[in-house]
Amino acid sequence: MPEDRLNEGLFLDKPIRDNVVTAMIASLRDRFGQIDRKRVQALAERTVEDLQIATPDVDKPVQSLSGGNQQRVLIGRWLAIDPRVLILHGPTVGVDVGSKDIIYRIMQRLSQAGIGIIRSVSSASAGALS
């Protein structure tokens, strides 16, 4: 997952739903090759619930969310592919304290579920730590 969610991670003008399923769109096709809209909707709604993304509707564009909620959408995209290892580059850069707490709790929950978490410190954070 890239550090710069705005320029490298998200399609800001697209709905939350589309951003969540982007990495696994091929596996959401039915036997006729059509995208299974019910599965897409269910996955997006489950991601919003599981990652505590504050939104009334998965059809809202990602740009309408706060930075912390945008970051969780991006985390949700990569969790949707059911990874064994998740590499997070600066997962809390540019998010408020409350969102940082939620993101760290998500990382802890994933780790306890057996998913490997590799967290790299962003260059901006590394400078602040020196």
Side-chain angles (χ1 to χ4, degrees), residues 105-115:
R105 287 175 192 261
I106 291 167
M107 290 168 54
Q108 182 178 25
R109 185 179 77 220
L110 294 171
S111 178
Q112 290 171 343
I115 297 174

Side-chain angles (χ1 to χ4, degrees), residues 6 15-18 41 55-56 59 61 75 80 90 94 97 104 126-127:
L6 300 177
I16 296 162
R17 178 193 57 249
D18 294 356
Q41 189 73 15
T55 183
D59 291 321
I75 292 169
V97 175
Y104 286 130

Side-chain angles (χ1 to χ4, degrees), residues 111-122:
S111 178
Q112 290 171 343
I115 297 174
I117 303 288
I118 299 172
R119 179 181 161 255
S120 71
V121 178
S122 72

